[in-house]
Amino acid sequence: MPIPWSVPTRKTGISWLGGRFSLPVQILADFFVAMQSLRHQADYDPDVVFTRQQVLTAIIEANDRITAFSAAPERERRAFAVYILMRERQD
């Protein structure tokens, strides 16, 4: 089973953040949503199986995206954290 972290969902992409943040922040946000979906599959779907290589690839991707996010200005990282915590849920 491929790991579909680039598959768009209604919560990912430019429409989700409305172009409010830089690309590194957007990339981390999209990746987080995709990884959360996979975590739910792993937790609640007894038929889902991830290979060791899939998991290692996801870990490397997460590290790369967190590193890129960390390079964004602190002010933007803080604004993103506040946006995530305070935004009105649409679902």
Side-chain angles (χ1 to χ4, degrees):
M1 162 191 272
I3 298 178
W5 49 71
S6 62
V7 176
T9 68
R10 63 188 176 93
K11 290 185 180 179
T12 62
I14 297 300
S15 63
W16 182 56
L17 291 177
R20 292 179 177 96
F21 298 99
S22 66
L23 189 58
V25 174
Q26 180 66 54
I27 288 170
L28 179 69
D30 288 347
F31 186 73
F32 181 84
V33 171
M35 288 293 99
Q36 186 177 32
S37 174
L38 291 175
R39 179 184 165 219
H40 285 248
Q41 287 178 27
D43 287 348
Y44 302 112
D45 183 349
D47 296 324
V48 73
V49 176
F50 298 106
T51 67
R52 176 178 166 80
Q53 187 58 48
Q54 287 173 317
V55 173
L56 291 174
T57 298
I59 291 169
I60 291 167
E61 278 286 324
N63 185 57
D64 290 347
R65 291 171 190 229
I66 290 168
T67 299
F69 175 81
S70 297
E74 182 179 352
R75 182 178 173 106
E76 182 181 17
R77 294 190 320 259
R78 287 178 186 258
F80 176 69
V82 170
Y83 178 80
I84 293 301
L85 292 172
M86 305 302 276
R87 73 184 184 95
E88 184 177 332
R89 293 187 63 138
Q90 300 298 317
D91 49 326

